[in-house]
Amino acid sequence: MKDALTDSYGRAIRDLRVSLTDRCNFRCFYCLPHGEPPMSPKSQTLSYEEIERACEIFVSLGVEKIRLTGGEPMLRRDLDVLVGKLAPLKAQGLRDLALTTNGYFLPDQAQTLKDAGLDRVTVSLDSLRRETFDRMTGVDALDKVLKGIAAAKLAGLTPIKINAVVVRGYNEGEVADFAAFAREHGVMMRFIEFMPLDSGHDWSRDAVVSGREIRERIEERFALVPARVRRGAETSSRWLFADGAPGEIGIIAPVTEAFCGACSRIRLTADGQIRTCLFSTVEHSLRDVLRGNSSRAEVIEYIEGVVLKKEPRHFIDDPGFRQPARTMSFIGG
Ligand code: SAM
Ligand code: SF4
């Protein structure tokens, strides 16, 4: 294992999230309820060549996981071309090249992406009921997303993870149904607490369904046992079915059980800003450095300096907490 980039609290940075676009074809109410805010000009969006250069440098600095996200990353044209540029980094220390998507375009593209070198996908799926799905995402696309998950499985983009944001009054009654879905399809079902990163600024603590409640709701139907994995920098607590059925449960509880002390993540926005935390209120323009004729050594020096500014933790619970100006769709969840 390569030496890692290390922040000023001793945390190793191994995981880079790259947002490919701020745009999205969905309108999830917890993310982009009123549609996209004014887009950054296209000229500010990093090109595939710039993303490739940045990722190569991050991998040389010890990053082992790259996750492509957004907005909806599959809206970016010729995504397989980018995947093809990043896949060779696996010979240089990259262990995992993944994509987080709403799944809408997967039926047509899963195999092409696999062939280009993508390892696996995480698909967002907030409801198994057509009406609730529509209410949460703003589109009547449940069937299409289910087909996308099936296509990803067929193409071997596995292990597939499914993300559901659990929000009171919407889908908390479906938690055990999702666990049944995980068993039936042999996927890892990850439940995520609702975070204050919505463009509508409608987040309230009352709407958060805690990780603890999520587990209790599953255990009303299925007994769980802790998965024997080293939690390390993992964001989720992981559980298996006590009866040995396939599938796995992950519970991501950043609001009620913050895991900042083990955070290994850093983010690059579509317009080339490094964000050292989901909840950062400042950004660092790697784009300017990349476009400023900087040498490789200068880019590295810049990245190392930015990593040292990584926040110790998020401040959701502090009285002075300010929701970041940019939302999840900009930051890259
Ligand atoms: N469009 C893709 C998708 O939906 O999977 C990728 C980007 S999306 C911002 C990444 C993840 O962030 C999704 O799983 C989404 O559910 C999650 N997310 C968005 N807003 C959130 C919020 N306010 N709280 C918790 N998770 C959120
Ligand atoms: Fe789009 Fe993903 Fe945000 Fe939903 S969560 S609006 S699919 S970026």
Side-chain angles (χ1 to χ4, degrees):
M1 202 189 265
K2 279 191 196 141
D3 285 349
L5 271 169
T6 305
D7 74 5
S8 52
Y9 302 93
R11 293 171 297 187
I13 305 301
R14 297 283 187 197
D15 186 342
L16 172 68
R17 311 280 161 118
V18 183
S19 172
L20 300 185
T21 177
D22 304 334
R23 311 206 59 138
C24 192
N25 55 327
F26 281 21
R27 292 287 174 267
C28 303
F29 80 94
Y30 52 74
C31 181
L32 270 181
H34 309 303
E36 295 135 349
M39 295 287 108
S40 17
K42 218 172 173 189
S43 60
Q44 291 184 9
T45 303
L46 292 190
S47 67
Y48 283 175
E49 286 69 29
E50 287 169 329
I51 294 173
E52 179 187 12
R53 181 168 178 224
C55 287
E56 190 278 319
I57 290 176
F58 272 107
V59 170
S60 77
L61 294 173
V63 160
E64 295 179 336
K65 295 182 184 181
I66 294 179
R67 174 179 296 282
L68 305 176
T69 179
E72 176 44 49
M74 296 188 78
L75 285 178
R76 199 72 193 253
R77 196 173 301 160
D78 302 326
L79 181 55
D80 57 309
V81 171
L82 176 65
V83 170
K85 286 178 186 295
L86 300 182
L89 295 177
K90 285 186 244 176
Q92 294 170 40
L94 179 66
R95 289 195 297 118
D96 189 28
L97 181 58
L99 172 75
T100 299
T101 172
N102 60 33
Y104 189 86
F105 299 105
L106 272 177
D108 297 332
Q109 291 189 39
Q111 190 61 54
T112 315
L113 291 173
K114 178 70 186 178
D115 294 345
L118 187 70
D119 291 322
R120 59 188 183 84
V121 287
T122 297
V123 183
S124 298
L125 176 67
D126 294 321
S127 176
L128 295 166
R129 299 176 193 161
R130 186 172 164 192
E131 271 174 25
T132 310
F133 185 97
D134 192 343
R135 201 172 145 229
M136 293 187 75
T137 64
V139 286
D140 181 9
L142 174 60
D143 281 354
K144 189 101 184 240
V145 174
L146 292 175
K147 281 191 187 124
I149 294 170
K153 198 169 175 184
L154 198 67
L157 288 168
T158 50
I160 295 175
K161 293 182 183 173
I162 308 288
N163 278 355
V165 181
V166 187
V167 187
R168 179 127 13 245
Y170 288 84
N171 59 353
E172 77 271 32
E174 286 190 66
V175 167
D177 294 346
F178 270 124
F181 182 88
R183 292 163 66 91
E184 188 186 336
H185 296 277
V187 295
M188 177 164 181
M189 188 68 227
R190 305 196 320 162
F191 298 98
I192 308 176
E193 286 180 350
F194 180 22
M195 292 182 271
L197 289 169
D198 54 316
S199 67
H201 289 228
D202 286 331
W203 181 86
S204 80
R205 200 163 273 277
D206 297 344
V208 177
V209 179
S210 70
R212 185 193 175 124
E213 178 179 335
I214 290 167
R215 207 176 85 217
E216 285 168 359
R217 284 178 175 271
I218 298 171
E219 294 210 283
E220 280 170 15
R221 208 182 304 171
F222 304 109
L224 297 176
V225 290
R228 279 182 211 273
V229 284
R230 206 176 58 83
R231 177 140 184 196
E234 286 238 15
T235 49
S236 60
S237 64
R238 292 170 59 174
W239 304 84
L240 298 173
F241 294 104
D243 64 2
E248 199 179 318
I249 300 294
I251 298 177
I252 304 178
V255 181
T256 64
E257 298 166 43
F259 38 75
C260 308
C263 182
S264 64
R265 277 163 288 280
I266 194 154
R267 293 178 155 81
L268 185 59
T269 66
D271 58 356
Q273 308 300 305
I274 298 180
R275 291 183 66 98
T276 46
C277 173
L278 267 179
F279 296 94
S280 293
T281 48
V282 283
E283 299 183 335
H284 310 273
S285 185
L286 184 62
R287 185 190 67 224
D288 290 348
V289 178
L290 291 173
R291 292 186 180 173
N293 289 327
S294 307
S295 66
R296 184 183 172 81
E298 284 165 342
V299 178
I300 290 176
E301 194 183 333
Y302 180 76
I303 291 173
E304 286 174 342
V306 168
V307 163
L308 287 176
K309 296 181 187 147
K310 186 169 162 67
E311 299 77 348
R313 63 182 177 89
H314 70 59
F315 297 98
I316 301 176
D317 287 324
D318 293 21
F321 172 71
R322 260 194 314 132
Q323 186 165 336
R326 302 232 260 182
T327 64
M328 199 67 148
S329 63
F330 271 106
I331 300 166

